[in-house]
Amino acid sequence: MSYNIAIDGPAGAGKSTIAKLVAKRMHFIYVDTGAMYRAMALYLIRRGVGAEEKEKIEKVCQEAQISIEYQNGEQIVLLNGENVNGLLRTEEVGNMASVSSPNRAVREKMVQIQKELAEKADVVMDGRDIGTCVLPDAQVKVYLTASTKVRAMRRYKELEEKGETCDLAKIEADIAERDHRDMTRELAPLQQAKDAVLIDSSEMTIEEVAEKIIALCK
């Protein structure tokens, strides 16, 4: 039987960074569900679908082929055969992913892929509803969060290092708005699973968070 670690939490909490480190330390496969939804969002943007066009999103999403491969230990997200790793972290794609991911047709397609991966291998999976919906029977569940201010500053520094012009106040406002959307959406809202361990990373290092999660597996 495979061993599953589910890490949920809001945008900017450090889920992907922590999940990758935990997977590496435990020799598990890391599954970035957020990247999968972002790939779908990128596809919708390329097709000119608006964020509020729910019926069009349902129809167009069926044409997208999204898969995950590993090359030299790195997860590669493929959108219709194209490696789109370098295109998934823009604000435009992130906001579209937040709006399109609650769509039932989009979710059903993504969840099926995610469940199949978790059944076949030991995985660390992060997202918004892994412990509550995708992997409700995961052996370890974590709800990773941080204050809005801390998450905004992390994103600001990330964009600054890339040489992008950014506004800290706007980033924090966007994060707060995304939190509200994710927590109040009708289908699979962001929430802490009843049996998940709450970890606030605001004042913790990456190493400290990873060690705490690994300790939960023992």
Side-chain angles (χ1 to χ4, degrees), residues 28-99:
F28 281 19
I29 291 175
Y30 166 61
V31 180
D32 182 354
T33 62
M36 295 171 69
Y37 279 104
R38 282 171 177 265
M40 178 63 79
L42 176 62
Y43 181 76
L44 295 172
I45 290 171
R46 286 178 170 180
R47 290 293 304 275
V49 180
E52 303 305 319
E53 297 182 281
K54 295 182 180 180
E55 291 185 3
K56 196 170 182 180
I57 287 175
E58 276 190 31
K59 181 179 179 180
V60 173
C61 78
Q62 301 301 330
E63 302 165 10
Q65 296 300 318
I66 298 171
S67 59
I68 290 177
E69 291 185 2
Y70 282 83
Q71 297 177 9
N72 300 319
E74 180 187 4
Q75 177 184 262
I76 304 297
V77 181
L78 299 174
L79 173 59
N80 292 340
E82 175 191 353
N83 180 348
V84 293
N85 277 24
L87 305 173
L88 303 181
R89 297 298 168 182
T90 67
E91 290 299 304
E92 180 186 18
V93 169
N95 287 327
M96 173 58 103
S98 180
V99 172

Side-chain angles (χ1 to χ4, degrees), residues 5-22 124-128 131 141-147 151 154 179 183 190-193 196-206 208-213 216:
I5 301 173
I7 302 177
D8 289 312
K15 299 186 300 297
S16 296
T17 299
I18 298 302
K20 287 176 185 176
L21 182 56
V22 171
V124 179
M125 195 176 293
D126 70 289
R128 300 290 194 278
K141 298 180 186 178
V142 170
Y143 188 85
L144 182 64
T145 190
S147 69
R151 288 186 281 140
R154 288 173 181 171
D179 284 353
M183 292 177 178
L190 167 64
Q191 59 184 327
Q192 181 180 342
V197 176
L198 175 65
I199 298 179
D200 188 326
S201 68
S202 298
E203 304 297 328
M204 297 175 71
T205 65
I206 292 172
E208 288 172 339
V209 177
E211 288 174 6
K212 185 165 185 176
I213 293 175
L216 293 173

Side-chain angles (χ1 to χ4, degrees), residues 93-135:
V93 169
N95 287 327
M96 173 58 103
S98 180
V99 172
S100 61
S101 60
N103 185 285
R104 189 175 298 276
V106 171
R107 271 193 48 77
E108 287 178 352
K109 187 160 189 173
M110 295 296 98
V111 170
Q112 179 183 354
I113 296 172
Q114 293 157 12
K115 284 181 176 292
E116 289 173 356
L117 285 168
E119 288 174 359
K120 297 174 183 177
D122 297 331
V123 303
V124 179
M125 195 176 293
D126 70 289
R128 300 290 194 278
D129 61 347
I130 308 304
T132 54
C133 299
V134 183
L135 301 178

